[in-house]
Amino acid sequence: MERPVRQAYLNMIAKQVGPVLRGHGFKRSHGTFRRISESGHAAIIEFQGSTGSWGDTSIFYVNLGVATTSWLDWRQEVLGRKHRDRPTASIAQWWTRLNADPAHSDDFDRWAIRSTGEAEACGAALVQELSEGVVPTFDALLAHYVRLDEAVAVGREDDLPALFDARPSGPLGGIDNFRRLDHPYLTWMLAQRDQ
């Protein structure tokens, strides 16, 4: 059965969103765009279809995450998968879902495309949000997490509480997974340093 709205959603990602994200240094693998720096720090944007989609509506989430190389190494050691090469938003140091633009929402804060003609406008809204809000937030958050990692690496753990409080604020909110001194990641980092 042909699903033209679903195809319009896929075309929006491929033809509107993809080129813009490539311009910001992201590479695509299926519905996931990753920008991994030379140092191995990762910024992740995942398009996740919703099971709430049906014939004339395509509903989706946009998952976001950032993680330093050390965080990905720790996650890989803990979970035993190749998180460093193919990180996902859900295992990142910081992650969130991009709130849907009100004009393209299903009223449950999921992104929604209800017609083939709506896909282009939705893509334009996404491109603007990703370029103007998400990418700059990613850059600020990665710089923050690199400072945290560097403080631990050089033996300045006492600086961590002030650094935790200095996390950049922004329009995205999100879940900050490394924000406390008793986090297992810090124990792992200290053990790596002492080796």
Side-chain angles (χ1 to χ4, degrees):
M1 177 179 182
E2 186 178 335
R3 295 184 55 201
V5 175
R6 169 78 175 160
Q7 190 58 53
Y9 157 72
L10 296 173
N11 289 342
M12 175 200 71
I13 295 170
K15 296 177 180 173
Q16 282 181 274
V17 176
V20 170
L21 290 180
R22 278 194 299 279
H24 288 290
F26 286 82
K27 294 181 180 176
R28 182 177 182 186
S29 174
H30 305 287
T32 302
F33 293 84
R34 294 177 182 91
R35 184 183 67 190
I36 300 178
S37 72
E38 288 182 17
S39 303
H41 309 309
I44 306 126
I45 299 171
E46 297 169 338
F47 286 83
Q48 176 189 350
S50 170
T51 56
S53 297
W54 59 94
D56 59 352
T57 301
S58 194
I59 298 173
F60 61 99
Y61 300 97
V62 182
N63 302 319
L64 310 172
V66 297
T68 62
T69 304
S70 297
W71 180 272
L72 295 173
D73 286 344
W74 170 69
R75 294 298 297 205
Q76 185 166 310
E77 187 173 305
V78 169
L79 299 176
R81 290 180 283 200
K82 296 192 179 226
H83 291 291
R84 186 125 187 263
D85 299 330
R86 298 177 60 82
T88 61
S90 64
I91 61 99
Q93 264 161 305
W94 171 92
W95 80 275
T96 194
R97 282 191 164 147
L98 182 62
N99 289 335
D101 180 284
H104 306 287
S105 172
D106 71 341
D107 298 327
F108 294 102
D109 214 21
R110 297 177 295 188
W111 290 82
I113 298 173
R114 294 176 186 83
S115 69
T116 57
E118 189 181 326
E120 188 173 337
C122 183
L126 268 168
V127 162
Q128 181 175 1
E129 189 70 36
L130 293 169
S131 293
E132 296 175 10
V134 172
V135 171
T137 299
F138 278 0
D139 294 342
L141 286 167
L142 278 171
H144 168 72
Y145 288 117
V146 167
R147 282 192 296 277
L148 290 172
D149 285 356
E150 288 171 349
V152 175
V154 298
R156 292 189 348 255
E157 298 86 68
D158 292 344
D159 293 352
L160 290 178
L163 288 170
F164 288 152
D165 291 340
R167 182 173 84 84
S169 61
L172 298 176
I175 296 172
D176 188 349
N177 284 313
F178 180 39
R179 192 172 170 78
R180 61 183 212 275
L181 292 172
D182 63 342
H183 196 285
Y185 173 62
L186 180 56
T187 304
W188 181 85
M189 285 282 288
L190 293 171
Q192 300 302 307
R193 186 187 72 198
D194 295 338
Q195 287 182 358

